[in-house]
Amino acid sequence: MNKIILLLMCVLIALLEPAAVQAAPEAEAIALTGTSESTAIPRPNYKRYKGNSRSKKRKLGFFRRRAARRKAMRKQKQKAVAPKGVIKVDAPTGTMPKRVE
């Protein structure tokens, strides 16, 4: 099927007038568009890299895992929150001072 379509397209192109199929010379093309190379706007042929959001995160290597673990352990030691539970207080000593008027 694909070969038949390709063959028909080749025959169609061969039957067309060669002048209509060929591209116009540069001078005529510039005259038709009204621009020249000196006024052409430069356009980059690349796209800005925005990060590959489709890539799956890889498992960290041995050394990075070890560094991350050591960092987490250090951070945990610095945090050192008092354990939750009952707060113990000493017994009250003495009495309240007398009111002076």
Side-chain angles (χ1 to χ4, degrees), residues 34-75:
T35 61
S36 65
E37 291 180 19
S38 62
T39 61
I41 300 168
R43 300 196 189 279
N45 59 352
Y46 60 88
K47 254 185 157 176
R48 186 167 167 245
Y49 180 71
K50 296 182 181 179
N52 190 359
S53 60
R54 292 178 179 215
S55 64
K56 188 177 179 183
K57 286 189 100 179
R58 289 187 317 169
K59 181 179 179 182
L60 292 176
F62 172 76
F63 293 104
R64 291 232 174 127
R65 267 198 329 265
R66 185 171 73 176
R69 183 173 185 269
R70 289 177 68 205
K71 183 178 178 182
M73 286 168 59
R74 269 189 246 120
K75 196 172 182 180

Side-chain angles (χ1 to χ4, degrees), residues 17-28:
E17 292 181 30
V21 177
Q22 289 179 346
E26 267 187 52
E28 290 179 19

Side-chain angles (χ1 to χ4, degrees), residues 80-88:
V81 180
K84 292 183 179 181
V86 179
I87 300 172
K88 296 185 179 181

